[in-house]
Amino acid sequence: MLRLRVFYRHLCLNAVKETSTFQEKSRLFASHLDADFRVVHKWLQKNPALMEIDADEMIKKINYLKYAYITTDEILQKPKVLLNHLVTLENRTTILRECGVVEALTLNAIDNYLKLIRKSINLLKRNNLLPKDLDMYEQMKRQFECPVEPKLRWDDQMVLQNMRIAFYNEFLLKRLNLSAEELNKLWKSYSKIKHKSFGHTQRVIDILEYDYKIGRDKLIANMYLLHADPENLLRYPEQVPTIGGMELRDVVHRYPKLMMVNHTAVTRVLGILKQLNLPDGEVLKCLCVLTLSPKTIEYRLERLMQVKEFEVLTKHPRVLKLIQYQTKAAIRLEYLQQLKVRCASLDVLSSNSQNFERYVRDGCDRTKGRDTAHVLKHIFKERGEAAMEKIRRHPNWFHVPVLQMQETMEVLLKKKFTMDDIFNNVHILLYPLNRIEEKLALLINNDPKLEEELGVELYRASKTQLLALALYLVELEFHFTGDGVWLEQVQQSDSSSAINVEIPSTLNSEYKFGKKPPSTTDSST
């Protein structure tokens, strides 16, 4: 009974929210449609798909249709037209006008654009969509700034779209000096260019050529740019003048696909990435991440923070690769964990398939020096490089995952050890946390037997010295070979060198090695 009440309460709350949303949007759209609130409210209820459209986008579409002299009654009678993208509505309207559909330009004509454009000129005239005396060849010639006169036999029986394509071909041949092969490639790969208006295409080419200094060869190599929104191209330099410290024009030359993304979305994405405190140059190394939507970026960052192995890499300068290839990286991480591989680097997780397969086949569980260096730099700031130099002296440092180092660091800080304490004993970050905590517990208890073995007075030890002693005790069990870093007590070292871990000389003038076997010698590294 209680469950039914809870379910009913949730049902009521959802109904109230939906009703409130309907009322808000009804008032908003009614003011732009110049229609009665109750009429619009009923209209939205009959067409719930319209509620899924962003309110701002919906208003832009309504305002554009009103600008194109479409009446409110027409919009209310054909609500499905609003499901089209705004750019689609603009293109359809402009193309119909270019073809001479002016007096008969209604919402019905815009809605049936695809059908009309595939009809013969004669049929359109008979249905009063085109003036009876219209010369379509001359009509299309007038749409170009440069002389465009394709040589073709035509009459009113010709399909309207075929004539448009003939003019398109002639224009592109002249304007871009395309070869027959390049023209065929264009129509094969980007055939939807025929649904762009002549004015749109001319404007895009002019902006790319004169404003962005994109040459003919560059444009032909990236023909998809003909689909770009000219208004978006014009607003880009003002809204996004630089990316990663580089001028927009230079960025576009490096990555032309950026021009296909709305400048507002890029601005929002850059704002999100700025919070990661990445160096300017890193964004330039992964410009494709700017083609993702802001919501996708936020979602993927949220997902990264939920996976410990990824979270530790969020301060890595190349974290953008992890964002871009997050799905692939997550699958690979799970696979490597099944193989008991702990040290997969960011490069491995985001690399191409061949490199990843090679890494798996080699079976070498090693971290990348860059990952470790970046984590240490994030931890120790300006002393990061010095910390890395110390870490490199350990024979097995590259077998310790950066996540383990990060977790050890966090625990030591919670135990009131300072950054200086940890920096002076930075090798302790390489060792399993349970061993460190075990040795610290022994040292803190001031065991007389341990004091006698070490030859030191533990109560006098500072925090820095306690860490040094803990490190000493851990490696003492492994004969100072550096094998104490392994989670399992199995010597897997691939280095013959030994690590020099000593009791701080400040604790005792008489240095003792405790139970260190006499056969083991210390060597500086």
Side-chain angles (χ1 to χ4, degrees):
M1 190 67 180
L2 181 61
R3 288 182 179 179
L4 285 173
R5 287 179 181 175
V6 172
F7 175 74
Y8 179 72
R9 189 178 301 165
H10 280 295
L11 199 64
C12 291
L13 287 172
N14 289 335
V16 169
K17 288 180 181 178
E18 287 181 8
T19 303
S20 176
T21 304
F22 263 98
Q23 289 179 345
E24 288 176 7
K25 288 200 171 183
S26 297
R27 289 193 184 91
L28 183 63
F29 298 155
S31 62
H32 289 274
L33 284 167
D34 296 326
D36 184 73
F37 163 77
R38 287 171 294 182
V39 173
V40 176
H41 188 271
K42 189 175 181 180
W43 178 64
L44 288 175
Q45 286 180 325
K46 286 184 178 179
N47 302 280
L50 298 178
M51 292 294 294
E52 302 298 322
I53 303 174
D54 180 74
D56 291 336
E57 284 297 312
M58 185 75 159
I59 291 169
K60 288 178 182 178
K61 293 175 187 178
I62 292 171
N63 289 341
Y64 176 75
L65 292 175
K66 300 280 280 186
Y67 169 77
Y69 300 105
I70 304 299
T71 65
T72 298
D73 289 340
E74 286 182 281
I75 297 173
L76 294 176
Q77 288 170 12
K78 283 196 167 290
K80 289 185 179 179
V81 175
L82 294 169
L83 298 177
N84 291 299
H85 196 280
L86 176 61
V87 174
T88 301
L89 295 176
E90 291 174 346
N91 272 314
R92 290 184 176 186
T93 305
T94 308
I95 289 171
L96 290 173
R97 282 177 173 167
E98 287 179 345
C99 294
V101 181
V102 180
E103 296 296 332
L105 184 60
T106 61
L107 194 58
N108 186 52
I110 296 172
D111 188 31
N112 290 289
Y113 159 80
L114 291 175
K115 294 179 181 178
L116 298 179
I117 205 72
R118 292 168 184 157
K119 301 296 182 182
S120 68
I121 299 168
N122 183 53
L123 184 62
L124 295 174
K125 286 183 176 181
R126 281 195 283 123
N127 284 277
N128 298 317
L129 290 167
L130 293 173
K132 303 290 185 184
D133 58 347
L134 179 67
D135 185 327
M136 187 58 71
Y137 191 91
E138 291 298 323
Q139 172 70 18
M140 291 195 178
K141 272 178 59 178
R142 289 194 292 268
Q143 308 308 316
F144 295 93
E145 297 173 0
C146 59
V148 177
E149 299 180 14
K151 295 178 181 179
L152 74 159
R153 293 181 179 179
W154 75 278
D155 55 28
D156 282 358
Q157 298 305 318
M158 191 173 190
V159 174
L160 184 57
Q161 183 164 276
N162 292 344
M163 181 172 278
R164 290 193 78 252
I165 291 174
F167 272 86
Y168 244 126
N169 287 341
E170 185 69 14
F171 167 71
L172 293 172
L173 286 170
K174 283 191 173 183
R175 185 69 173 79
L176 297 177
N177 194 25
L178 293 181
S179 65
E181 183 182 351
E182 290 168 338
L183 195 60
N184 289 333
K185 181 182 177 182
L186 168 66
W187 289 114
K188 185 177 180 180
S189 302
Y190 308 106
S191 61
K192 289 187 178 180
I193 192 71
K194 62 178 173 280
H195 296 305
K196 296 290 183 182
S197 69
F198 296 142
H200 170 279
T201 305
Q202 292 177 94
R203 198 174 176 205
V204 167
I205 293 174
D206 287 342
I207 294 171
L208 292 174
E209 182 178 353
Y210 299 116
D211 292 18
Y212 289 91
K213 306 300 179 185
I214 292 180
R216 178 249 182 209
D217 293 340
K218 188 78 171 179
L219 181 54
I220 290 175
N222 300 277
M223 279 293 200
Y224 57 82
L225 289 174
L226 295 178
H227 285 282
D229 179 5
E231 293 299 327
N232 188 50
L233 294 177
L234 290 172
R235 289 174 186 157
Y236 245 115
E238 180 183 344
Q239 301 297 325
V240 192
T242 61
I243 294 177
M246 182 182 287
E247 285 191 15
L248 178 67
R249 185 188 298 173
D250 297 327
V251 175
V252 171
H253 278 264
R254 179 185 291 192
Y255 192 68
K257 193 177 289 186
L258 189 65
M259 292 292 93
M260 305 303 294
V261 186
N262 187 278
H263 66 84
T264 305
V266 172
T267 303
R268 287 181 59 194
V269 168
L270 289 173
I272 296 169
L273 298 182
K274 189 176 181 180
Q275 298 173 11
L276 299 176
N277 296 319
L278 297 174
D280 286 344
E282 293 304 319
V283 178
L284 297 175
K285 293 177 183 177
C286 194
L287 288 169
C288 49
V289 79
L290 298 178
T291 61
L292 300 175
S293 73
K295 288 184 179 179
T296 300
I297 298 288
E298 289 174 341
Y299 173 73
R300 292 188 178 185
L301 280 173
E302 187 179 333
R303 290 285 301 275
L304 289 181
M305 300 304 290
Q306 293 172 357
V307 180
K308 293 188 296 182
E309 287 81 0
F310 289 157
E311 182 187 5
V312 73
L313 295 172
T314 53
K315 300 300 179 182
H316 195 296
R318 301 183 70 186
V319 70
L320 296 183
K321 289 185 68 177
L322 205 54
I323 295 173
Q324 182 188 359
Y325 301 112
Q326 189 203 68
T327 304
K328 178 170 69 175
I331 294 171
R332 287 180 174 182
L333 178 64
E334 184 179 355
Y335 174 68
L336 291 174
Q337 286 174 340
Q338 292 173 1
L339 298 178
K340 307 299 182 184
V341 175
R342 303 185 305 140
C343 299
S345 67
L346 186 149
D347 285 337
V348 168
L349 294 174
S350 60
S351 65
N352 59 47
S353 299
Q354 291 179 338
N355 288 342
F356 180 72
E357 289 174 9
R358 190 183 304 116
Y359 176 83
V360 173
R361 282 198 306 270
D362 291 345
C364 187
D365 190 9
R366 297 166 59 115
T367 188
K368 287 280 187 180
R370 281 183 295 183
D371 290 359
T372 305
H374 289 310
V375 169
L376 291 175
K377 188 174 181 180
H378 173 64
I379 293 173
F380 295 109
K381 309 303 180 190
E382 65 276 0
R383 293 189 293 180
E385 291 185 11
M388 188 62 195
E389 285 299 315
K390 289 185 176 184
I391 286 288
R392 286 183 187 277
R393 298 173 190 169
H394 196 290
N396 295 324
W397 69 270
F398 41 77
H399 289 301
V400 180
V402 290
L403 174 61
Q404 179 182 315
M405 296 175 66
Q406 178 77 27
E407 290 177 340
T408 301
M409 182 75 187
E410 291 172 357
V411 171
L412 291 177
L413 289 174
K414 286 180 181 178
K415 291 181 179 293
K416 307 303 181 184
F417 289 99
T418 66
M419 296 295 289
D420 288 337
D421 296 333
I422 300 169
F423 176 79
N424 291 329
N425 300 279
V426 72
H427 288 113
I428 205 161
L429 298 179
L430 300 174
Y431 291 82
L433 189 57
N434 61 330
R435 288 180 186 153
I436 297 169
E437 290 182 315
E438 178 190 342
K439 302 308 178 187
L440 283 174
L442 289 173
L443 293 168
I444 292 171
N445 289 334
N446 296 330
D447 185 357
K449 186 178 179 181
L450 182 60
E451 284 188 341
E452 183 181 350
E453 290 176 353
L454 295 174
V456 298
E457 296 176 329
L458 294 176
Y459 73 91
R460 294 174 52 199
S462 65
K463 288 281 189 179
T464 299
Q465 293 163 343
L466 281 176
L467 284 183
L469 288 168
L471 190 56
Y472 171 81
L473 291 175
V474 170
E475 270 304 327
L476 182 64
E477 297 177 5
F478 296 90
H479 310 295
F480 302 94
T481 59
D483 287 344
V485 301
W486 301 104
L487 291 177
E488 302 296 333
Q489 294 190 6
V490 179
Q491 292 195 13
Q492 304 180 46
S493 175
D494 62 350
S495 173
S496 59
S497 60
I499 183 170
N500 182 22
V501 184
E502 300 180 349
I503 297 176
S505 57
T506 53
L507 280 180
N508 192 352
S509 56
E510 292 183 13
Y511 182 78
K512 289 189 177 181
F513 288 94
K515 295 182 179 180
K516 180 180 176 182
S519 59
T520 306
T521 58
D522 294 333
S523 61
S524 299
T525 55

